[in-house]
Amino acid sequence: MQISKIPVMPKSITSTKRKSRHLIRGIKNSLQDGIPCLNDSLGCFTNTGIGKPSVYHALVVIFLEFFSWGLLTSPIITVLNETFPDHTFLMNGLVQGIKGILSFFSAPFIGALSDVWGRKSFLLVTVFFTCMPIPLMRISPWWYFALISISGIFSVTFSVVFAYVADVTDEKERSAAYGLVSATFAASLVTSPAIGAWLEQRYSETFVIALATAVALLDVVFILVAVPESLPEKLRPAAWESTISWEQADPFSSLRKVSHDRTILLLCFMVFLSYLPEAGQYSCFFVYLRLVKGFSKESIAYFIAMVGTLSCIAQTALLEVMIKSLGHKHTIMVGLVFQMLQLAWYGVGAATW
């Protein structure tokens, strides 16, 4: 890729940068002299795993991460309402908004780094930091919500997972594989909220939070031990000095490129308009059902399970049949019509049924 031109800096700044580069290079050389097999150790980490890289490795990572968060569906609403009793919806929106903005800016950078250093390392980083706030839910709710906001920098597991899937599938298999990832995400929500609500009723919120923490740790261990690197060896860096360009890390770079292709621009505009109301609904819907509509914890869990089951069916068998019979364009149109009906029904529905 072409690296964007950088303006000429004053001599003092250039000299400082040159000294910094010499210093960093010296540290790297010292580390490599002191630990001769450092690069080999990094290679050993990325080359560990069970079997060849496959879609199923990515599915387990996604399932465990969102299963752990699904267990916390009910405790999150309780802690949010207890911590911000007068501004529950406002603070929920602020937390989710800050998290989303940080993810927008960090996703291209993390994606570009994973193109250079491999997927496994960044699967580990994104899962670890995304799940890191979980144990703080009861220890310190304020720190919990603060870390959830900041964790948006690393909450891009889906981006790395999709890149992992792209590495291990050919073009013909890719759409079905992406649908399988989305279905696995939905499957994690089918059972986890119900299990979390039942365990909370049977034991306590603390027990559910501890279990969610354990599942998140299991996901981290699974990545460390079982997930093999999917990025081909020939595309990995030969030295530590391998770099990325500003263009690769710029979140607005892709938007500028999109404007040159009318078809892609229309698709991006459609996706934006589709996700805009969906994201707003998803970020506060369960809080709304619990605190405004008076749904019980069990009712919310059953509702999520039903929606998740239907989503699994739609993302796997139904999606493939519709694409073959209607084509991609008409399948998208059918999906958007049903999305519009769903959001409208949520808005005007007054009864719990």
Side-chain angles (χ1 to χ4, degrees), residues 35 80 117-118 122 144 182 301 321 330:
I35 312 175
L80 182 67
W117 294 105
F122 289 93
Y144 166 74
S182 299
V321 171
H330 290 95

Side-chain angles (χ1 to χ4, degrees), residues 49-298:
I50 298 175
K52 294 181 179 180
S54 68
V55 176
Y56 300 106
H57 290 98
L59 297 183
V60 173
V61 171
I62 282 291
F63 181 85
L64 290 176
E65 177 179 340
F66 288 96
F67 186 87
S68 66
W69 281 106
L71 290 171
L72 300 173
T73 302
S74 178
I76 284 176
I77 298 173
T78 302
V79 173
L80 182 67
N81 191 39
E82 289 176 353
T83 309
F84 310 105
D86 299 325
H87 306 286
T88 305
F89 285 93
L90 174 62
M91 294 308 300
N92 181 64
L94 286 174
V95 169
Q96 297 297 333
I98 293 171
K99 183 177 179 180
I101 291 171
L102 292 176
S103 296
F104 169 76
F105 284 105
S106 67
F109 181 64
I110 292 178
L113 287 176
S114 75
D115 287 339
V116 175
W117 294 105
R119 316 298 184 197
K120 177 171 181 172
S121 302
F122 289 93
L123 279 176
L124 181 65
V125 168
T126 54
V127 169
F128 177 80
F129 284 102
T130 302
C131 296
M132 188 174 64
I134 291 177
L136 293 175
M137 184 180 291
R138 270 306 173 197
I139 298 173
S140 175
W142 282 92
W143 274 108
Y144 166 74
F145 289 112
L147 281 180
I148 276 192
S149 303
I150 299 171
S151 72
I153 299 172
F154 301 100
S155 296
V156 291
T157 307
F158 259 110
S159 299
V160 184
V161 163
F162 280 135
Y164 191 100
V165 170
D167 291 339
V168 300
T169 56
D170 56 36
E171 194 171 345
K172 293 180 180 178
E173 301 173 332
R174 203 156 293 156
S175 295
Y178 287 160
L180 201 57
V181 171
S182 299
T184 302
F185 163 70
S188 69
L189 297 179
V190 170
T191 54
S192 56
I195 292 173
W198 180 78
L199 290 174
E200 182 182 352
Q201 188 178 22
R202 183 73 181 270
Y203 300 102
S204 65
E205 274 190 5
T206 304
F207 179 83
V208 176
I209 294 170
L211 179 61
T213 304
V215 173
L217 285 174
L218 177 62
D219 199 9
V220 171
V221 172
F222 177 80
I223 296 170
L224 280 169
V225 175
V227 176
E229 177 57 59
S230 66
L231 191 67
E233 187 72 33
K234 61 183 179 181
L235 297 180
R236 299 182 205 174
W240 282 25
E241 287 77 12
S242 299
T243 57
I244 61 173
S245 66
W246 283 112
E247 188 177 3
Q248 289 174 286
D250 182 6
F252 299 101
S253 175
S254 297
L255 297 179
R256 287 192 292 268
K257 291 178 182 178
V258 160
S259 62
H260 301 307
D261 190 309
R262 186 173 179 273
T263 303
I264 297 178
L265 179 62
L266 288 174
L267 287 172
C268 289
F269 187 63
M270 175 201 68
V271 171
F272 174 78
L273 292 179
S274 170
Y275 272 95
L276 186 63
E278 194 76 37
Q281 176 251 332
Y282 178 78
S283 65
C284 65
F285 187 60
F286 303 125
V287 180
Y288 170 77
L289 289 180
R290 173 86 174 274
L291 302 181
V292 177
K293 290 297 183 182
F295 273 54
S296 65
K297 297 176 182 180
E298 293 78 14

